[in-house]
Amino acid sequence: MPTIAYFGPQGTFTEQAARSLARGEHLVPADTIPAAMRAVRAGAADAACVPIENSVEGPVAATLDGLAEDGPLVAVTEALLAVHFSVLTREDAGEIRTVASHPHALAQVRHWLEANLPGAEPVATASTAAAAVAVQQGQYDAAVTAPVAVEHYPLRVLATGVADVADARTRFLLLRKPGTLPEPSGHDRTSVVAAAAHSTGSLAGLLTELAVRGINLLRLDARPLKENFGYYRFFIDFEGHIAEPRVGDAVAALRRRCNNVRFLGSHPRADGAPSAVEPGTGNDDFTDAADWVDAVRRGERA
C-alpha cells in the first residue's frame, strides 16, 4: 500500500487534506513540512501532503522553501479546504487562561477569542494538533484545532465552526518525485520557481512571457535566497498545463530568460475553474503558427 507522509501530528487540517487526496492509502504524520518532503526524497514515502497557501495568512514559507531546495518534487494534485476550527479543552478545565495553537490558526480566530475568551493568553505551538496534545498534558487550558483532532485526543469541544473569516480556505498539495504528469484537464495549474537576474525589469520580463501568450497569472510569491541578501526566488503559478503548446512555449521562454528555473508541477485546480483563453492565444493558434514556420523553413510556404 502506498505511504503518504503529511505535516502532522495526527489531527491537523493537513491530515484531513491527505485523507481526501490519498483515499485508502497509508498516512504517516511527519513532525514538520520539511520532514514530510524528506521522506519522499529518501524513498520512505511515496508522496507528501503539505499546505501551500491560506486565504487569510498567505503563503506557507516552509513549503515554498522546501520546493525550491534539495531534490525536485512536483505537485500532482491539490485540495482546497474550508478552514473552520474547533476549540478543545480538558473535561476538568476551569477558567481558561491560555489558548494554544499554530500562529496561523490563532490569527484566524483572533476576533472570536477576544469576544469569547477575552482573558485568555494566546500561545503559539508547532501545529494545531501539538496544541491539543499540550492541553491534554495540562500545559495549556484550551487549543484551537482542526475538527478532526477530537477523533485523536480525548478532549471536550468547547466550540466548533470557529472562524473570523467565514470563507477562509487553505490549499494543500500532494507532492511526488518527478515522473508521469497528470493529463491536461482544461482547468489546470502550472507552477515554477525562478531566481530572476538581479537587474532592472527582470521580474517584469518573466511575467511578460506569460502575458504575450495570453496566460493568466494565478499567484506570485517571493522568497529570499538565503545565501545572497537582497536576492529573491519567485514562485509563479499560472493557468494551463505544460503539455499545452502555449504553456510549454511560455515555460521554455522563462528558461531562456532565467537558467535557474525549476518546474513544480501541472495538475487540475481544486476549484475547477477553466483556463481563460484570449483570441489568438489558444493551443491551436500556437500549433498552426509553428506548423507554418516549419513549412516556411522547408520552402513550402511564404
Side-chain angles (χ1 to χ4, degrees):
M1 178 184 295
T3 297
I4 310 299
Y6 68 91
F7 174 38
Q10 289 181 315
T12 60
F13 282 102
T14 313
E15 181 190 5
Q16 290 185 215
R19 288 182 181 185
S20 69
L21 293 175
R23 297 183 185 279
E25 299 186 8
H26 180 50
L27 304 183
V28 177
D31 290 338
T32 64
I33 289 171
M37 293 184 174
R38 284 196 299 269
V40 181
R41 291 181 172 119
D46 299 284
C49 183
V50 295
I52 183 69
E53 63 174 331
N54 175 265
S55 61
V56 176
E57 290 299 296
V60 180
T63 299
L64 295 183
D65 291 343
L67 287 169
E69 300 164 359
D70 300 320
L73 296 173
V74 297
V76 295
T77 188
E78 66 180 36
L80 199 57
L81 293 189
V83 180
H84 295 163
F85 298 92
S86 293
V87 179
L88 307 182
T89 67
R90 296 183 306 280
E91 290 292 343
D92 60 349
E95 182 182 356
I96 296 176
R97 296 184 176 87
T98 53
V99 180
S101 195
H102 188 276
H104 278 201
L106 291 172
Q108 293 179 73
V109 299
R110 178 170 59 88
H111 296 306
W112 187 94
L113 292 177
E114 290 173 352
N116 294 275
L117 298 173
E121 176 189 0
V123 181
T125 56
S127 69
T128 57
V133 172
V135 169
Q136 186 178 344
Q137 294 173 346
Q139 298 177 41
Y140 307 114
D141 300 319
V144 177
T145 72
V148 71
V150 76
E151 298 180 16
H152 300 292
Y153 308 105
L155 296 171
R156 178 171 65 92
V157 178
L158 178 67
T160 194
V162 175
D164 290 346
V165 180
D167 61 349
R169 295 181 293 175
T170 297
R171 187 165 63 92
F172 298 84
L173 300 178
L174 190 68
L175 305 172
R176 298 186 186 274
K177 290 183 179 179
T180 303
L181 296 175
E183 293 293 323
S185 67
H187 52 271
D188 300 295
R189 176 194 304 270
T190 291
S191 305
V192 300
V193 56
H198 193 61
S199 60
T200 302
S202 59
L203 175 58
L206 296 181
L207 300 181
T208 296
E209 299 294 356
L210 302 179
V212 298
R213 293 167 176 82
I215 297 174
N216 188 37
L217 182 70
L218 294 175
R219 187 174 64 94
L220 175 65
D221 293 306
R223 291 288 297 159
L225 286 168
K226 297 174 184 177
E227 65 273 15
N228 287 308
F229 181 77
Y231 288 72
Y232 292 84
R233 294 187 182 96
F234 296 100
F235 294 81
I236 308 171
D237 285 11
F238 45 90
E239 290 182 345
H241 194 288
I242 197 168
E244 299 177 50
R246 66 177 187 143
V247 175
D249 195 55
V251 173
L254 296 179
R255 174 71 176 179
R256 287 194 302 271
R257 282 184 175 267
C258 177
N259 285 333
N260 191 358
V261 175
R262 176 176 284 191
F263 173 71
L264 301 179
S266 286
H267 56 81
R269 293 169 59 181
D271 59 13
S275 299
V277 180
E278 299 293 330
T281 64
N283 291 313
D284 290 343
D285 297 310
F286 276 84
T287 300
D288 291 344
D291 290 344
W292 179 81
V293 171
D294 288 341
V296 170
R297 288 169 174 166
R298 294 192 300 268
E300 298 173 359
R301 297 283 296 275

